[in-house]
């Protein structure tokens, strides 16, 4: 199993008070799945993504990645995993402003010690994959918001990560650019069997995913397969019972 969460909890301790952001989250994700994560603001989506993406650790519970317990790894070990296993796309594009598109995409390869020539080739190929080959030498300021976000996606993909995580990647885009970007995600999923976890508010996007996880108050309130993917994969594809049933939590309130 690619990802397995068991009763993950996260409590933020601000010193003054404690904020329970995740209150027992359990689910599994198989390689190749396209999962949309929905839920109201404050329901714990980003907290969940940060744990899944090794940016943060759970307060309690077990996170297994490729069958290894990664719940309590230290900062360095998590950074290593992040470099080798994942691509993360943020709502704000987080590009370096003085570096060209291709230089931005090369960064993860630089950290990984890939030689310059190979870096450039792989970065250009990945930009091509997101339809930006013609913009490789542009600075972020010379690109539209949608194009900048595609550079950020190329940067997340250049290492061939097992999983692509995206936390509201269309949040700063107008609706047309957002639509184009989501078409990119879908294409990556269909053509490259890329595993994708995507936080979105757009029900249309969620419709294109294989599966929709809905968060509410730090729990998984619903975990549903979309009809099209059940047809494609067979009804019994999902390997765990409903989250709520498994841990004796109350179902959707
Ligand atoms: P979402 O992404 O669904 O909007 P978050 O995961 O960002 O939700 O937040 C979940 C809860 O945790 C919210 O109540 C939020 O205020 C709280 N929270 C998030 N980050 C922190 C933090 N660093 N310190 C304290 N509380 C936090
Ligand atoms: Mg968020």
């Amino acid at each position: 199993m690619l990802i397995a969460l068991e009763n993950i909890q996260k409590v933020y301790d601000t010193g003054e008070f404690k904020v329970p952001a995740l209150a027992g989250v359990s689910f599994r994700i198989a390689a190749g799945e396209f999962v949309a994560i929905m839920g109201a603001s404050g329901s714990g989506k980003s907290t969940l993504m940060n744990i899944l993406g090794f940016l943060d650790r759970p307060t309690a519970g077990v996170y297994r990645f490729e069958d290894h317990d990664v719940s309590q790894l230290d900062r360095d070990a998590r950074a290593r995993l992040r470099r080798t296993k994942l691509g993360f796309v943020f709502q704000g594009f987080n590009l370096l402003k003085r570096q060209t598109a291709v230089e931005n995409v090369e960064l993860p390869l630089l950290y990984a010690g890939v030689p310059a020539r190979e870096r450039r080739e792989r970065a250009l190929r990945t930009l091509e994959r997101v339809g930006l080959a013609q913009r490789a030498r542009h600075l972020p300021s010379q690109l539209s918001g949608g194009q900048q976000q595609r550079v950020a996606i190329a940067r997340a993909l250049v290492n061939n990560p097992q999983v692509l995580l995206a936390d509201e990647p269309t949040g700063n885009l107008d609706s047309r650019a957002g639509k184009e970007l989501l078409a990119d995600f879908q294409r990556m999923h269909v053509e490259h069997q890329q595993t994708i976890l995507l936080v979105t508010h757009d029900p249309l996007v969620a419709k294109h995913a294989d599966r929709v996880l809905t968060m509410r108050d730090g729990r998984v309130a619903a975990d549903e397969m979309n009809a099209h993917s059940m047809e494609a994969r067979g009804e019994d594809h999902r390997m765990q019972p409903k989250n709520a049933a498994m841990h004796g939590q109350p179902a959707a309130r």
Side-chain angles (χ1 to χ4, degrees):
M1 185 56 57
L2 181 64
I3 286 172
L5 299 186
E6 270 171 46
N7 202 18
I8 291 288
Q9 301 177 37
K10 178 71 185 181
V11 179
Y12 292 108
D13 193 345
T14 67
E16 230 175 315
F17 40 84
K18 295 187 175 186
V19 184
L22 295 177
V25 170
S26 307
F27 58 75
R28 293 165 179 223
I29 293 172
E33 277 193 277
F34 181 1
V35 181
I37 299 174
M38 302 192 77
S41 174
S43 59
K45 304 181 300 295
S46 292
T47 302
L48 177 63
M49 293 296 272
N50 290 345
I51 289 172
L52 288 169
F54 307 124
L55 291 162
D56 202 357
R57 285 195 293 208
T59 312
V62 179
Y63 174 12
R64 287 200 186 78
F65 189 91
E66 294 182 315
D67 302 319
H68 296 286
D69 186 347
V70 294
S71 321
Q72 296 304 328
L73 294 178
D74 64 21
R75 191 174 288 271
D76 286 350
R78 279 187 281 125
R80 242 187 335 269
L81 273 177
R82 209 157 57 232
R83 277 202 302 273
T84 52
K85 302 287 185 182
L86 302 176
F88 208 116
V89 180
F90 300 90
Q91 181 170 351
F93 322 127
N94 286 6
L95 299 176
L96 298 180
K97 293 186 169 45
R98 290 164 182 276
Q99 311 263 310
T100 62
V102 69
E103 287 165 348
N104 268 285
V105 176
E106 278 180 41
L107 276 181
L109 301 176
L110 184 69
Y111 297 138
V114 175
R117 194 142 72 131
E118 186 187 338
R119 275 203 313 265
R120 183 55 52 107
E121 280 169 13
R122 282 171 62 182
L124 286 172
R125 237 182 296 135
T126 312
L127 276 172
E128 208 172 283
R129 219 174 121 179
V130 297
L132 275 186
Q134 308 308 316
R135 297 286 185 275
R137 266 90 190 170
H138 289 229
L139 294 170
S141 60
Q142 300 167 328
L143 298 170
S144 72
Q147 289 170 335
Q148 289 181 57
Q149 192 57 302
R150 273 143 74 197
V151 173
I153 291 174
R155 183 182 55 187
L157 286 173
V158 73
N159 264 342
N160 288 320
Q162 263 97 331
V163 190
L164 182 65
L165 296 160
D167 191 355
E168 298 195 50
T170 61
N172 286 332
L173 302 178
D174 63 49
S175 69
R176 188 169 138 257
K179 268 202 199 103
E180 283 175 14
L181 194 79
L182 292 162
D184 289 343
F185 278 101
Q186 229 194 320
R187 195 157 29 78
M188 284 183 281
H189 173 61
V190 173
E191 290 176 10
H192 302 274
Q193 286 81 49
Q194 181 75 53
T195 309
I196 300 174
L197 274 66
L198 171 70
V199 175
T200 178
H201 286 295
D202 187 343
L204 262 179
V205 178
K207 231 175 67 185
H208 289 292
D210 294 329
R211 178 175 166 193
V212 181
L213 277 174
T214 306
M215 298 292 297
R216 189 190 299 159
D217 298 335
R219 298 173 196 274
V220 177
D223 181 355
E224 295 157 315
M225 298 291 283
N226 276 333
H228 64 81
S229 63
M230 284 196 286
E231 283 159 26
R233 293 162 183 261
E235 297 264 349
D236 60 350
H237 163 73
R238 203 172 41 170
M239 288 170 215
Q240 81 279 34
K242 281 267 195 269
N243 171 270
M246 193 159 70
H247 289 279
Q249 296 162 355
R253 274 174 277 170

